[in-house]
Amino acid sequence: MSKIELYNNDCIEAMKKIDDDIIDLIVTDPPYNLGNFMKNRDTNLSKMRDNFFGSAGWDDMEFADWEQSMDDFFKSAARVMKKGGSMIVFMAIIKVETIIRLAEKHGFYYKTTGIWHKTNPMPRNMNLHFVNSTEAWVYFTYKKRTGTFNNGGAMFHDFIETSVTPNGERKCGKHPTQKPESLIQHFVEILSNPNDWVLDPFMGSGTTGVVAKHTDRNFIGVELDKNYFEMAKLRIEERQNETKCD
Ligand SMILES: C[S@@+](CC[C@H](N)C(=O)[O-])C[C@H]1O[C@@H](n2cnc3c(N)ncnc32)[C@H](O)[C@@H]1O
């Protein structure tokens, strides 16, 4: 049975409760620092989606503040990681260089930048420009050049294609950037083993926790926002059938 620890707090504060050198894998999807950029783009995105991430309030920092917050995060992550542990950080393609520079500063070894391609993206302004259907993921190991890599002899490419999050995974509420479970499961199964400890310090609606539990990993999840935290808790505790989730 998986051990699960969930914190409704700022991740830097919550991670102080985690012992040194115990985490095998971090899979996380922090704010991309695109909120202000998108708001200034004169698109009608915020009108089209009432839960647009730029309006949600957690992705509207100035670049320097966001960079400092990511620096603080990697410092805390380095303390809790096992030597030879792995980390996947989802990120906007235009911010990948910053993420690599900061993670390397704290002892992470940069391995790969890959792409997640959404096969059914929102066709926003499709007659005006190329529809955005990709996000990046950045793969690191900690203090070693290789870590767990369960490929079973198969070749894994540096891109993955899935649909956007299906409605069946949104029964406990809406999160504007919820990742599909199949996407996260791909990384959890390749980069960790059953009974390992998986951490997601920006867990949002809890997708990494749902996958960790279903694949017999232990999980520590942190989310700052109370509503998203409650959503994550319901999903991870598999209480989707409660009235709130119907
Ligand atoms: C991109 S979303 C993650 C979505 C998640 N992958 C999912 O599948 O639902 C980032 C989340 O980080 C949370 N967050 C932002 N700053 C935080 C902080 N300092 N500590 C913990 N959580 C934070 C936001 O509230 C948001 O839910």
Side-chain angles (χ1 to χ4, degrees):
M1 182 119 142
S2 302
K3 294 177 202 130
I4 308 279
E5 292 176 23
L6 303 178
Y7 299 96
N8 180 199
N9 203 346
D10 172 74
C11 63
I12 305 300
E13 284 307 309
M15 286 167 76
K16 289 178 184 164
K17 299 203 169 73
I18 305 176
D19 289 340
D20 293 0
D21 310 324
I22 67 150
I23 299 296
D24 299 279
L25 173 65
I26 292 177
V27 178
T28 200
D29 178 22
Y32 288 1
N33 193 229
L34 289 183
N36 288 340
F37 171 76
M38 296 301 282
K39 273 186 213 159
N40 295 334
R41 292 279 287 190
D42 196 24
T43 67
N44 60 357
L45 188 59
S46 51
K47 289 177 208 139
M48 288 166 67
R49 289 179 66 189
D50 55 3
N51 70 339
F52 161 54
F53 65 87
S55 315
W58 46 258
D59 195 25
D60 52 7
M61 285 184 185
E62 293 303 321
F63 176 76
D65 296 335
W66 173 79
E67 190 181 27
Q68 184 61 55
S69 74
M70 287 293 102
D71 194 13
D72 294 344
F73 159 62
F74 288 122
K75 184 177 177 196
S76 304
R79 182 185 64 74
V80 300
M81 282 304 282
K82 271 186 195 162
K83 197 173 169 186
S86 301
M87 177 167 73
I88 294 286
V89 182
F90 285 91
M91 192 40 57
I93 292 166
I94 59 171
K95 297 289 162 75
V96 164
E97 185 277 335
T98 307
I99 290 299
I100 295 172
R101 174 168 49 79
L102 294 174
E104 284 185 332
K105 177 177 157 190
H106 294 289
F108 288 92
Y109 178 72
Y110 168 65
K111 300 275 288 182
T112 310
T113 298
I115 294 297
W116 169 40
H117 179 229
K118 301 165 219 182
T119 51
N120 56 344
M122 283 272 285
R124 269 182 222 117
N125 295 334
M126 59 178 271
N127 297 322
L128 299 177
H129 59 66
F130 300 103
V131 171
N132 174 250
S133 62
T134 56
E135 294 178 33
W137 44 269
V138 194
Y139 165 38
F140 301 90
T141 47
Y142 184 61
K143 294 258 167 109
K144 277 188 167 183
R145 294 187 169 216
T146 54
T148 298
F149 198 80
N150 298 320
N151 68 337
M155 178 172 70
F156 288 118
H157 293 223
D158 57 5
F159 73 90
I160 172 165
E161 278 189 319
T162 76
S163 69
V164 299
T165 304
N167 286 338
E169 294 176 19
R170 292 181 180 273
K171 287 184 183 161
C172 292
K174 284 189 178 158
H175 188 293
T177 63
Q178 182 173 335
K179 295 284 183 283
E181 291 170 20
S182 59
L183 171 69
I184 302 300
Q185 187 160 339
H186 176 72
F187 295 109
V188 167
E189 290 190 323
I190 295 170
L191 300 177
S192 71
N193 295 306
N195 301 315
D196 278 358
W197 278 96
V198 178
L199 168 67
D200 186 349
F202 300 92
M203 73 172 165
S205 66
T207 310
T208 310
V210 171
V211 169
K213 188 173 173 189
H214 287 169
T215 56
D216 299 319
R217 275 69 171 168
N218 301 307
F219 178 68
I220 301 176
V222 188
E223 170 55 45
L224 186 58
D225 180 277
K226 176 100 180 100
N227 290 330
Y228 298 148
F229 177 80
E230 292 302 330
M231 203 186 293
K233 206 160 172 271
L234 284 170
R235 285 185 72 204
I236 294 166
E237 291 173 357
E238 298 181 87
R239 290 157 57 204
Q240 289 92 331
N241 296 328
E242 289 189 6
T243 317
K244 195 171 173 183
C245 294
D246 283 343

